[in-house]
Amino acid sequence: MAQRTKALAGTASRDLSSKKVSTSKEKRPKKRSQGKNMIFALDIGTRSIVGIAGERLDRDNFIVKDYELIEHPGRAMMDGQVEDIAQVSRLIVEVTHRLEARLGISLTRVSIAAAGRMLRTARVNVSRELPSPLSQVDRDMVLGLEGEAIELAQEQVKKEELRPDGSNYYCVGYSIVEYQMDGHLVSQLEGHTCSKISVELIAAFLPYGVVEGLYAAVDMSRLEVSNLTLEPIAAMNALLPRELRLLNLALVDVGAGTSDIAICRDGRIVSYDMATIAGDELSEAIVREYLVDFPTAERLKRSLSTEEDLLKYENILGVSCEVKPQSILEIIKPTVDLLAQTVADKILNCNGGPPSAVFLIGGGSLIPGLNQALAAYLKISPDNVAVGPRRSLKDIDASAFPALTGPEFVTPLGIAITAIIQPCFQFFGVTINGRRLKLLNVAKTRLMDVLLMAGFKAGQLIAHSGRSLLFTLNGAPCTLRGGLPEHAVVTINGSPASIESDVRPGDVILVTPARDGEPAAAIASDFIPKSGYSAILVNGESAKPDRRIVPGDKVDILPLAASSDPIAPPDLKSTVLESAPYEKTTLPPQTEFSQEPLVFTPMPQDGLAPEQPQKSQAPSPESVWPAPDKKNDASETTGSEAASGATLGVTLNGQPLSLPLSNGQSAYFMLHLLKRAGVDPSDPKGRLVLECDGSPVGFMHPLRNGARVQIGWK
């Protein structure tokens, strides 16, 4: 092991001392594009960043073309989480530029992995009936099935983690436990012909802050994340292929900030876990004992595996000192024991007992005595705790780079091979009104979906005219119209957008929320004729001229005593009292809108004519159709709407629903019924299904009398 460590140290030294890529303006050869078969993997670790570039030969095999390792100049990361985004980004750029210069390739896409800090896992099983009894399973069916399982697992984690800060957990990787085809176990589903498929998987989740920090550093480096996974998943894919998972094995990646754990048996990965104690705790023990800075402590720790008899260093007081490696080992022994005990407890808890063997990888695995201590706590033979691969990695050809056989390179190689054999559901970022939002990278993401996920409510997207004022004036029914609405204006990257516009990674979305028109308002003096009056009666009682009119009032303006004729009501033109003749009314003018990027435009009143409803299909048993919210329905039938009596009748999830119509709410769309159905798009519980009269529809589908609506999560 000492010889391997020396070789590794020499390689790291060569990488760290290599010259930076020239930034001068001399003419350089044009770089080739990355191409679909070139894989670029980054292991963004607490202590260093490792970049590996290689070529995918077929679906499973990967050949390394070059690699680069650069250590962080400062503590830019803590416990596997990005602390200094700018500093981490600078190192990513440097690693990328060095590889580009040597390979002559422009690297634009990268695969990354997250450490297991605050890791949460969920194990779920999902089945799906195929369209016909003899359907052939294709890749899209498998991905759809796995995606449905991930959504279910995410909902399970959210229920278990009721965090007061409202933080969300995102899927950073998953492992297939088993596939089934018509109830029979199979290793792969694709290509088989059957009537029912199912998958059981373990999905791993990390908090938003951990994932967002990684994405922010990569985004700042002008790279696109093509695949995201979890570090122990990557390491397991590289070190323990499927045929070895029949054995009960544990893999422990001891990094600088975290110790990530994965366990397999019976041909499947059964558990993931992590410990927050790792290599940094050993370095901190050296810092305290010998009064040195952290980089010096790191150098002393790494020298413990060499054959040097005396280690020289300078403490923070400027005093030159010497120490024997054995003395340092005695100082850090309590911390090594604590690390071994913590990891052993995690393994025993996840596995239900000691495994047959343990593989230690990562830079921290090279600490002398760690493997023996771990074996003792697990009560297994020290020979069954291996440091590093101990053999060639399956499906990975790294023969041109002997240093990559070291334990600290298992994870970056695993990130590359995982990008080939198991492309994961990843996220992309957009900006909405200056706020970053992470979205699951699915085949198509519509603007309306994004706005609802961002927390926008229907009232912010669809505006309505102000509430009309209905009352009686001198015995004649009158309606005073409310003000016109200001519709929402939405742009994507500065261009007008519609609710069906596609949203892509990096899009900048600006939303000016809709504003309802002001409600109609009037006072009794607004209706006094120029000839004067003798009295004002409201609901049969004497009232002052400044008496505010409310819906349903009966207003009578009595004439002067000199005149025996009652005051005739003004020309109401079909019982609608326009606001223009009355100067004291402060309603906005009824102006026409120009052709601006107005996204949400209500349907005209005549679009609500009754029609014969189509035959409704029965909902899928996999769907959940919540009952309509009766309380919300009742709250809508007060005031002027109740006075008008106009309603729109629909059936929502099997229950009749009466929707009040007024001048302020003259049309209804599917979007309006989300709340009544108990559905909150900002808190997804599966795939949102919208159906009207048995057919799938969108949020802005207009509702007509007799419509049969189904809204729920599938």
Side-chain angles (χ1 to χ4, degrees):
M1 183 174 70
Q3 291 179 349
R4 183 175 71 245
T5 305
K6 279 188 174 181
L8 180 60
T11 303
S13 176
R14 169 180 61 81
D15 292 333
L16 291 171
S17 62
S18 59
K19 295 180 180 180
K20 292 184 177 181
V21 176
S22 172
T23 57
S24 60
K25 296 182 180 179
E26 71 269 12
K27 188 175 181 180
R28 307 172 192 160
K30 186 177 180 180
K31 296 176 182 175
R32 307 190 311 274
S33 62
Q34 185 171 345
K36 64 178 182 179
N37 289 326
M38 177 59 66
I39 305 297
F40 178 33
L42 277 178
D43 183 9
I44 306 172
T46 302
R47 189 62 47 235
S48 63
I49 294 179
V50 179
I52 290 181
E55 188 174 359
R56 174 174 54 188
L57 300 180
D58 51 39
R59 181 167 178 173
D60 299 324
N61 295 306
F62 175 73
I63 181 170
V64 178
K65 295 296 184 180
D66 204 350
Y67 81 100
E68 186 67 50
L69 181 152
I70 303 180
E71 292 188 0
H72 295 288
R75 302 191 73 176
M77 297 186 63
M78 295 291 290
D79 295 340
Q81 182 172 350
V82 177
E83 296 283 337
D84 188 334
I85 293 175
Q87 182 174 316
V88 172
S89 177
R90 284 193 292 270
L91 248 66
I92 292 175
V93 170
E94 184 62 26
V95 168
T96 305
H97 283 180
R98 292 188 185 186
L99 289 172
E100 287 180 329
R102 294 200 294 266
L103 294 172
I105 294 175
S106 177
L107 299 173
T108 56
R109 304 185 317 276
V110 65
S111 299
I112 60 175
R117 183 181 184 183
M118 301 179 69
L119 176 68
R120 299 293 182 271
T121 61
R123 185 167 175 166
V124 295
N125 191 311
V126 170
S127 299
R128 176 180 291 183
E129 299 285 346
L130 299 185
S132 64
L134 295 177
S135 296
Q136 187 174 37
V137 182
D138 58 25
R139 182 61 177 164
D140 288 341
M141 290 181 182
V142 177
L143 287 177
L145 183 69
E146 294 173 1
E148 190 174 341
I150 289 172
E151 291 176 353
L152 180 62
Q154 188 168 34
E155 183 61 29
Q156 181 177 317
V157 169
K158 288 179 67 175
K159 289 180 179 178
E160 295 172 353
E161 294 292 329
L162 299 177
R163 299 175 59 82
D165 59 1
S167 62
N168 293 319
Y169 279 79
Y170 291 118
C171 179
V172 293
Y174 64 97
S175 294
I176 303 299
V177 176
E178 65 180 28
Y179 291 116
Q180 286 196 15
M181 175 190 71
D182 290 337
H184 301 289
L185 291 175
V186 292
S187 59
Q188 295 292 334
L189 288 173
E190 189 174 350
H192 287 286
T193 300
C194 56
S195 60
K196 182 179 180 180
I197 57 177
S198 64
V199 63
E200 183 177 359
L201 58 78
I202 299 175
F205 297 87
L206 291 177
Y208 175 86
V210 176
V211 178
E212 177 62 21
L214 279 175
Y215 268 89
V218 175
D219 289 346
M220 191 178 292
S221 309
R222 304 293 179 88
L223 291 170
E224 175 191 348
V225 176
S226 60
N227 201 63
L228 170 68
T229 189
L230 191 69
E231 289 183 358
I233 293 178
M236 184 71 80
N237 287 336
L239 192 61
L240 300 176
R242 186 174 297 274
E243 58 268 21
L244 290 182
R245 297 177 190 176
L246 291 171
L247 301 171
N248 186 194
L249 306 174
L251 182 145
V252 183
D253 184 358
V254 185
T258 61
S259 296
D260 297 318
I261 302 165
I263 296 174
C264 67
R265 64 172 179 266
D266 301 327
R268 64 191 72 172
I269 298 176
V270 296
S271 185
Y272 296 107
D273 209 335
M274 58 84 62
T276 55
I277 181 172
D280 276 357
E281 278 72 15
L282 303 174
S283 300
E284 289 167 0
I286 296 174
V287 167
R288 291 189 294 268
E289 178 66 23
Y290 296 103
L291 296 179
V292 294
D293 57 23
F294 197 85
T296 302
E298 279 285 298
R299 179 178 62 81
L300 292 174
K301 181 180 70 175
R302 294 176 184 176
S303 300
L304 296 176
S305 300
T306 67
E307 298 176 353
E308 297 183 49
D309 296 327
L310 203 61
L311 304 178
K312 297 181 179 180
Y313 67 94
E314 185 177 281
N315 64 22
I316 59 173
L317 303 175
V319 179
S320 297
C321 306
E322 296 178 346
V323 64
K324 293 182 178 181
Q326 188 59 37
S327 299
I328 299 178
L329 287 173
E330 292 176 0
I331 293 299
I332 65 173
K333 186 178 185 305
T335 309
V336 173
D337 286 342
L338 179 60
L339 171 59
Q341 183 179 14
T342 303
V343 170
D345 289 343
K346 295 281 187 180
I347 293 174
L348 294 172
N349 182 61
C350 292
N351 194 49
S356 301
V358 178
F359 286 88
L360 286 176
I361 63 171
S365 67
L366 294 172
I367 295 298
L370 177 59
N371 56 336
Q372 290 92 341
L374 182 59
Y377 282 111
L378 290 174
K379 297 181 180 180
I380 62 176
S381 170
D383 294 336
N384 290 351
V385 180
V387 178
R390 294 286 181 92
R391 62 185 185 84
S392 299
L393 298 177
K394 189 178 185 299
D395 301 329
I396 299 176
D397 182 1
S399 57
F401 305 94
L404 294 183
T405 59
E408 52 264 84
F409 291 104
V410 173
T411 296
L413 288 169
I415 296 172
I417 198 69
T418 300
I420 297 173
I421 67 174
Q422 191 184 48
C424 186
F425 296 90
Q426 68 272 3
F427 302 92
F428 68 88
V430 297
T431 302
I432 300 182
N433 290 357
R435 171 194 166 201
R436 290 282 293 176
L437 182 69
K438 275 286 181 276
L439 305 173
L440 189 66
N441 193 3
V442 294
K444 183 177 181 180
T445 304
R446 298 182 305 167
L447 176 60
M448 176 61 82
D449 300 319
V450 174
L451 295 178
L452 292 175
M453 284 187 286
F456 283 88
K457 304 302 181 184
Q460 296 174 282
L461 305 179
I462 302 177
H464 303 288
S465 299
R467 187 182 297 274
S468 297
L469 179 60
L470 284 74
F471 63 102
T472 301
L473 178 60
N474 292 343
C478 299
T479 299
L480 188 63
R481 297 187 186 279
L484 285 174
E486 296 179 14
H487 298 292
V489 179
V490 184
T491 63
I492 298 179
N493 303 324
S495 300
S498 74
I499 59 174
E500 296 297 328
S501 295
D502 290 341
V503 176
R504 297 179 174 83
D507 278 350
V508 177
I509 302 169
L510 294 179
V511 182
T512 302
R515 294 182 62 184
D516 288 342
E518 293 294 328
I523 57 177
S525 62
D526 292 336
F527 309 102
I528 296 175
K530 293 181 180 179
S531 59
Y533 70 102
S534 62
I536 299 175
L537 298 179
V538 177
N539 301 325
E541 297 182 358
S542 177
K544 296 181 179 180
D546 60 355
R547 163 67 153 80
R548 180 172 292 276
I549 307 301
V550 299
D553 276 351
K554 295 181 179 180
V555 181
D556 293 287
I557 310 294
L558 302 184
L560 291 173
S563 174
S564 60
D565 297 329
I567 297 177
D571 183 10
L572 300 180
K573 297 180 180 179
S574 302
T575 73
V576 175
L577 186 60
E578 301 290 349
S579 60
Y582 302 100
E583 298 179 356
K584 293 184 180 181
T585 303
T586 58
L587 302 176
Q590 302 280 338
T591 56
E592 295 293 332
F593 279 91
S594 61
Q595 294 298 320
E596 295 179 340
L598 301 179
V599 180
F600 309 101
T601 306
M603 293 289 292
Q605 177 73 17
D606 57 8
L608 299 172
E611 68 174 14
Q612 186 67 26
Q614 300 176 5
K615 185 177 180 180
S616 176
Q617 299 177 356
S620 166
E622 298 174 334
S623 304
V624 179
W625 306 116
D629 189 337
K630 299 290 186 181
K631 181 178 179 181
N632 288 336
D633 184 36
S635 66
E636 296 281 352
T637 59
T638 60
S640 61
E641 287 86 349
S644 69
T647 61
L648 175 70
V650 300
T651 301
L652 174 60
N653 295 344
Q655 300 293 325
L657 184 64
S658 180
L659 304 172
L661 291 174
S662 70
N663 291 316
Q665 179 80 49
S666 59
Y668 282 91
F669 304 89
M670 293 290 288
L671 180 67
H672 289 114
L673 301 187
L674 294 180
K675 185 177 180 181
R676 297 171 185 267
V679 168
D680 182 1
S682 65
D683 183 22
K685 295 178 172 58
R687 180 169 62 86
L688 181 60
V689 177
L690 305 174
E691 294 181 359
C692 184
D693 295 327
S695 300
V697 295
F699 291 105
M700 299 305 297
H701 182 77
L703 298 176
R704 303 175 185 274
N705 277 323
R708 296 182 177 273
V709 179
Q710 300 278 23
I711 299 178
W713 298 109
K714 184 175 182 180

